Amino acid sequence: MRLIAFVLPLLLLGGCHFSTGDDDKSNDETSARAPAEKPAADPLASHDHDPQAQQIPDAQPRPLMQAQVVLDRLGFTPGVVDGKAGLSTRNAIGGFQEATGLNVSGELDTATLKALERWNDIPATRVVTIPADFAAGPFQPKPADPAEQAKLPALGYESLDEKLAERFHTTIATLQELNPGGVPAGSPAPAGVRAPSPAPSPSEAAATGDAKPVAVPLFHAGQQIRVPNVGGDVIEPGSIDDPAWAQTLAMLGVGSRQPQAADIVVSKSKGTLKAFDQDGKLIAVYTATMGSSHDPLPLGDWKIQGISRNPKFHYNPALFWDAKPGSDKALLPAGPNGPVGVVWIDLNKPHYGIHGTPRPETIGRAESHGCVRLTNWDAARLAQMVSARTKVKFES
């Protein structure tokens, strides 16, 4: 494995301003299926041929979720895996169709379903047991005020429910649907058990004006639950030199084996980020949020100056059109709920980059502060694919 160090200048970012980090990359190719013959140390990792993972048959087939799971593994990610049709799923299907030479309709038409048949043995869901160390936290509410956020040791997850949702590329509501009454769908619910209310996501709380939502946690250590069967999540031993980054990849269900991207194309009109290898082959498509009327996407050709993994964030209210009057500058700690999520890919256009988000359910549905915003798991995957040699184009 190569270690490429980038020194990132301390930039005044229009949406992001943070401390720097080293680039840690793997140039291996990805596959749709995690190798069954190489069990991962992560007890939550996928094992498609492990009978124990399927010991509780699902209550329903979930064909759209199954397609989302396969597309997510192949790099054509549907945003959150929730079994629902939408923009991100259409983009994922369209990416797969483009990569395989099919008519690009964004729909699961007959030809596309035929092409996906080779992965029909990958179930839509699997059953896992929540490990005690994964459930240990710490978890704490995220204050709305950046000055209060700066006092925290990390901008981590607010609940185990939220952490599990990100690990399996989904939402808390989907996990609740897959586990009615707190048990895996397909299992008989214990008598007298009522399903608790899921803790709202940060965006849901903001929408209702409730800064400190009160909800009964859905999940706990040792609990057996049904989750979307996302895969490609094996961290190869010795492949990641930075232990903190290896932990982040495992936390997000992102494997260390990723293809090498020679070109990145961000389309404003399509709302997508596409990655191509050195032969011009499409290897990944992610739905992205980019720019706004206040901070438009800067069209043109750009270069990658560096990659900061698990970045801190220098909040400067003067650079935010929507900052609260009277706000002061603040250095915010790293964490998946930080303003740029788990990674910042720095571009040679001042104040602009590609990064993660604390609100994956808003990707493709909300504006950004000019930068290109992905789900944390897509941003982490992309960070494993790019280097200073990768060309970046922003187009209309």
Side-chain angles (χ1 to χ4, degrees), residues 259-297:
Q260 181 74 25
D263 293 275
I264 298 296
V265 177
V266 175
S267 171
K268 180 180 179 180
S269 59
K270 297 177 182 177
T272 57
L273 182 152
K274 292 183 177 181
F276 300 84
D277 67 13
Q278 61 182 0
D279 298 321
K281 178 183 177 183
L282 181 63
I283 55 176
V285 174
Y286 309 137
T287 293
T289 293
M290 60 201 74
S292 68
S293 58
H294 298 274
D295 302 292
L297 185 74

Side-chain angles (χ1 to χ4, degrees), residues 160-246:
L160 174 58
D161 299 358
E162 182 188 16
K163 185 177 181 181
L164 283 165
E166 284 233 326
R167 171 59 182 83
F168 296 104
H169 306 180
T170 191
T171 63
I172 297 174
T174 300
L175 291 178
Q176 183 184 36
E177 177 186 338
L178 294 176
N179 299 276
V183 298
S187 301
V193 173
R194 294 181 60 189
S197 301
S201 67
S203 61
E204 292 170 336
T208 60
D210 186 1
K212 294 183 178 180
V214 177
V216 178
L218 290 172
F219 306 111
H220 56 79
Q223 184 178 1
Q224 199 172 46
I225 64 170
R226 186 173 300 283
V227 297
N229 191 26
V230 295
D233 49 7
V234 172
I235 308 296
E236 297 288 347
S239 62
I240 306 296
D241 289 345
D242 179 359
W245 182 242

